[in-house]
Amino acid sequence: MSRVFSGIQPTGQPHIGNYFGAMRNYVSLGEQYGKNSIYCVVDLHALTNPAAFDPRLLAQRTFEMALANFAVGLDPSKVVFFVQSHVPEHQELSWIFTNLTPVGELERMTQYKDKAGQLESVPAGLLMYPVLMAADILLYKADTVPVGEDQTQHIELTREIARRFNHTFGETFPEPKAVYNKDALRIPGVDGHGKMSKSKGENSTLGLLEPLDAVWQKLRAAPTDPARVRRTDPGNPDVCLIFDYHKLFSDLPIIEMVNVECRRAGIGCVDCKKKLMEGVTVALSPIQERAAELAQHPDDIRDALAQGAKEARAIAAPVMAEVREKVGFLKL
Ligand code: SF4
C-alpha cells in the first residue's frame, strides 16, 4: 500500500489557507491510508528561517499546530502524527543525503534563492532545507507527498536523491510522487495582496482559531471590487476576494444570490460580508470549540505526540538500519 508523508511548519497560527489547502486533506487522506499516513510538525525546518524563528515560541507553536490539526478532525490514533525533532533519524538520514547532493543543485532551488536574497547572512541550514525534506519523506519510504505547487522542485530533488542513493548503495528508496492540492495556491489573503500567507503577516490571514470578532473586523476592512464606489454601482464578484471566500464558506444558494445581486447592485458589500460571516461562523465555531476543549487537556496532546514519535521511530529504525548497512558503517 502507498504511504503518504507530509510536513507541517510550526510557524504562527494556522489559517484558513492551511485548512483548505492542507489540513482538511490530511483528514481525508488519514481516513483512506490510516497508519500509512504520516504527518510531521517540522520544527527542525523552522530553524532555517532566522527571520521567523523565535526560540521562545517554537515549543508553543509546535504544540498549537498539533492542537489545530486535531481540532479539525485529524485523529492521532488513526494516523501517525509526531514532531520531527522527536525522531532523530531525520537528521541522521539528512546528513547521509547531504553527501549525495551537489551544492550547485541546492543553490538553484527557487525558494532558496528567494529567501536567501532577503538575508544579509545566509545560514547553511537554509541551503540544506530540501535535503532534510528529502530525508523526512524517504525515512518512511513514502511514495505519495501532498504538497502545493511551490514544492515541485523540492520533490523533484527528493526523487533525484533517492535515485542517487539507489545507484550508489543499491535499491533502497522509492521515488515519491507529488500530489497537488491546487486550492492551496488559490486562497487570497484578506488584505487583497496575493495568496494568504503567514509570511505576509497577520493582516493577510484569517486564523483558524482567531476569535470570530477579530475575523469579522478583518473581513469588514477587506477590499472588494473597486468599481463599487457607491452602493448603487454594480460590481463583478469574479474580481472580489469576498466572493472567493463565499465559495469556501457559503451554501450554494448564497453563492448564486451574491453572483447575481452583486452584478446588479442588489446587495451592498457590507451585507454581502455579513452573509459570508454567517458561513465562516458555521465552519469555524465547531473547530474552535473543539480546540478549546483539547487545550483543557494539554497532557493528552503531549501523550499523543509521544505515541506518534514512537510509531514513527518504529518505521524509521529498520530503514536506518538498512541505510547504515548499505553505507558501510561499522556495526557493533
Ligand atoms: S457585493 Fe460581495 S462580491 Fe460584490 S463586490 Fe461587494 S463584497 Fe464583493
Side-chain angles (χ1 to χ4, degrees):
M1 189 186 189
S2 283
R3 186 173 279 158
V4 178
F5 177 91
S6 189
I8 308 151
Q9 283 263 9
T11 42
Q13 207 190 78
H15 54 69
I16 62 155
N18 302 129
Y19 174 61
F20 288 104
M23 294 162 82
R24 202 173 53 157
N25 198 23
Y26 293 162
V27 177
S28 58
L29 286 170
E31 275 153 20
Q32 208 180 324
Y33 290 89
K35 288 286 178 189
N36 275 319
S37 36
I38 300 176
Y39 303 118
C40 171
V41 184
V42 288
D43 55 348
L44 297 173
H45 285 277
L47 269 64
T48 63
N49 182 355
F53 171 63
D54 184 339
R56 292 162 305 177
L57 295 176
L58 183 60
Q60 183 193 330
R61 286 177 169 173
T62 301
F63 181 87
E64 282 171 2
M65 188 48 81
L67 183 140
N69 274 279
F70 300 162
V72 303
L74 195 69
D75 182 344
S77 71
K78 296 202 175 127
V79 301
V80 177
F81 191 101
F82 66 101
V83 176
Q84 188 184 28
S85 65
H86 297 168
V87 179
E89 286 86 350
H90 285 253
Q91 295 164 74
E92 188 183 354
L93 187 58
S94 177
W95 175 248
I96 291 166
F97 287 169
T98 296
N99 293 286
L100 291 170
T101 313
V103 171
E105 267 179 40
L106 295 170
E107 285 173 335
R108 277 196 294 278
M109 293 287 128
T110 312
Q111 281 201 3
Y112 169 74
K113 287 196 276 189
D114 289 351
K115 288 183 183 163
Q118 296 165 22
L119 298 171
E120 239 170 69
S121 167
V122 181
L126 186 62
L127 187 67
M128 294 303 148
Y129 182 107
V131 179
L132 180 58
M133 185 170 159
D136 297 339
I137 298 164
L138 296 175
L139 182 57
Y140 302 98
K141 297 195 175 182
D143 52 13
T144 305
V145 190
V147 285
E149 278 169 3
D150 53 348
Q151 292 296 318
T152 301
Q153 236 187 350
H154 290 167
I155 302 301
E156 218 9 87
L157 184 76
T158 300
R159 294 165 60 83
E160 182 58 40
I161 289 173
R163 277 197 289 273
R164 221 168 267 155
F165 187 98
N166 293 345
H167 179 74
T168 311
F169 300 111
E171 201 61 28
T172 308
F173 295 112
E175 288 180 34
K177 62 177 188 302
V179 180
Y180 296 110
N181 186 346
K182 294 192 170 59
D183 286 350
L185 290 179
R186 287 208 196 109
I187 297 169
V190 70
D191 56 0
H193 296 121
K195 182 190 162 190
M196 184 174 289
S197 166
K198 277 180 281 204
S199 60
K200 292 181 190 154
E202 291 207 344
N203 288 341
S204 155
T205 61
L206 294 178
L208 204 55
L209 305 181
E210 197 167 351
L212 291 175
D213 50 352
V215 170
W216 168 242
Q217 292 310 325
K218 285 183 183 174
L219 287 179
R220 214 165 58 107
T224 60
D225 176 3
R228 295 207 72 180
V229 180
R230 287 174 297 266
R231 166 71 178 76
T232 48
D233 293 331
N236 176 7
D238 297 332
V239 300
C240 178
L241 68 92
I242 297 297
F243 191 56
D244 286 330
Y245 292 164
H246 269 297
K247 289 183 217 156
L248 297 172
F249 289 105
S250 299
D251 295 335
L252 201 54
I254 302 281
I255 298 169
E256 281 167 359
M257 181 276 289
V258 171
N259 195 19
V260 171
E261 296 302 329
C262 171
R263 293 176 202 277
R264 62 181 185 201
I267 184 170
C269 290
V270 176
D271 287 335
C272 181
K273 288 175 174 180
K274 282 184 183 158
K275 280 271 165 234
L276 168 64
M277 192 60 208
E278 286 170 19
V280 170
T281 304
V282 168
L284 298 193
S285 294
I287 294 173
Q288 297 193 353
E289 280 162 23
R290 175 97 184 104
E293 268 169 41
L294 289 167
Q296 302 280 316
H297 306 283
D299 287 347
D300 291 355
I301 307 259
R302 287 201 171 79
D303 287 350
L305 292 175
Q307 175 61 23
K310 222 163 120 187
E311 291 169 1
R313 292 197 81 179
I315 304 170
V319 176
M320 275 319 298
E322 185 186 353
V323 167
R324 281 184 213 117
E325 168 123 31
K326 284 184 171 157
V327 172
F329 290 127
L330 175 67
K331 236 164 127 181
L332 295 177

